[in-house]
């Protein structure tokens, strides 16, 4: 029995090495695709050296905010390429339905994403009323939108407002860790992946009413994935799959693994090949059933057998 178990484990280790023998960037792309918070591109091809456009960022923050496809929106925005670099009062602008962002040109998801980004005051239009979706998005614009989504906008306003206050708060909360741009610099795909990695681990700030006064406080262990998308994170060890178990417990049901005593459906995560590994797992819970969206093995420790 022990010999069979060791053979199974060795095979799984080899398979796990094949499954995860990719570059960090390609794994990051797959991770955020699985979590549902990656910008869209034509043909789903990602050149991470390219700059992220304002249109792509509008779609991304729409996903992060879990806005979804809001059909029937009657707000419209002119999105033609503007030569005017100055935002009119930052968010003020005139919307026009006769140009690039009309429903006739872009699909409804894109149309609604732009409308939501502008109406929620997460992105601006220019003096001439245009949104300019093909322009590269700037770091100061990214900082503004994400700091606001995370709930730190009141602090950012106290620090001087847009843009410097928001960039300062982005730095202080770790949102811009390992991102070496600022202000008017454009954001590459690699930069955005690093920002997203920081974003999902940043705790949220929310208003609290106490003693007749509203105050803002950081909520311990809160994050954007759980609050907006219902995706939970667990750090644990895979102790059983559908073939065998390491701790004398029953095998997991077909298509499942057991992580710290919790049975989880593996989906397309490859979790069955990581028996014995410590993992960070992102999962969804519904009706007391758990489904893995993504998991990352900890290869810094020896395999537990």
């Amino acid at each position: 029995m022990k010999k069979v178990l060791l053979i199974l484990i060795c095979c799984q280790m080899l398979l796990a090495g094949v499954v995860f023998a990719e570059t960090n960037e390609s794994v990051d792309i797959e991770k955020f695709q699985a979590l549902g918070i990656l910008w869209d591109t034509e043909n789903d091809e990602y050149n991470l050296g390219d700059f992220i456009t304002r249109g792509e960022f509008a779609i991304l923050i729409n996903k992060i905010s879990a806005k979804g496809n809001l059909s029937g929106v009657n707000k419209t925005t002119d999105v033609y390429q503007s030569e005017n670099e100055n935002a009119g009062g930052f968010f003020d602008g005139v919307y026009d339905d006769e140009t690039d962002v009309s429903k006739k040109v872009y699909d409804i998801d894109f149309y609604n994403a732009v409308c939501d980004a502008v109406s929620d005051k997460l992105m601006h239009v220019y003096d001439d009323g245009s949104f300019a979706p093909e322009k590269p998005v700037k770091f100061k614009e990214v900082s503004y939108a994400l700091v606001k989504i995370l709930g730190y906008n009141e602090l950012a306003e106290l620090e001087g407002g847009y843009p410097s206050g928001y960039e300062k708060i982005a730095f202080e909360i770790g949102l811009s860790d390992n991102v070496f741009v600022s202000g008017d610099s454009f954001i590459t795909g690699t930069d955005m992946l690093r920002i997203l990695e920081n974003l999902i681990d940043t705790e949220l700030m929310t208003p609290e009413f106490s003693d007749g006064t509203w105050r803002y406080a950081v909520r311990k262990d809160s994050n954007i994935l759980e609050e907006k998308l219902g995706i939970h994170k667990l750090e644990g060890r895979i102790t059983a799959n559908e073939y065998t178990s390491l701790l004398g417990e029953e095998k997991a049901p077909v298509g499942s693994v057991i992580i710290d005593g919790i049975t989880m459906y593996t989906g397309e995560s490859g979790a069955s090949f990581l028996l014995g590994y410590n993992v960070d797992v992102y999962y969804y819970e519904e009706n007391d059933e758990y489904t893995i969206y993504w998991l990352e093995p900890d290869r810094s420790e020896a395999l537990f057998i």
Side-chain angles (χ1 to χ4, degrees), residues 100-119:
D100 293 10
V101 157
S102 95
K103 295 180 183 178
K104 301 174 185 176
V105 178
Y106 288 97
D107 64 50
I108 190 66
D109 289 335
F110 178 84
Y111 173 82
N112 286 333
V114 171
C115 290
D116 288 338
V118 173
S119 64

Side-chain angles (χ1 to χ4, degrees), residues 70-137:
L70 304 179
S71 59
V73 175
N74 58 21
K75 302 180 290 296
T76 56
T77 309
D78 172 0
V79 197
Y80 61 83
Q81 184 72 25
S82 170
E83 296 301 324
N84 188 345
E85 291 289 343
N86 298 313
F90 190 54
F91 290 114
D92 297 333
V94 178
Y95 309 144
D96 180 354
D97 195 26
E98 300 303 320
T99 51
D100 293 10
V101 157
S102 95
K103 295 180 183 178
K104 301 174 185 176
V105 178
Y106 288 97
D107 64 50
I108 190 66
D109 289 335
F110 178 84
Y111 173 82
N112 286 333
V114 171
C115 290
D116 288 338
V118 173
S119 64
D120 291 344
K121 300 189 183 301
L122 294 173
M123 298 186 73
H124 67 270
V125 295
Y126 293 96
D127 285 343
D128 55 9
S130 70
F131 181 81
E134 300 305 322
K135 282 192 174 191
V137 69

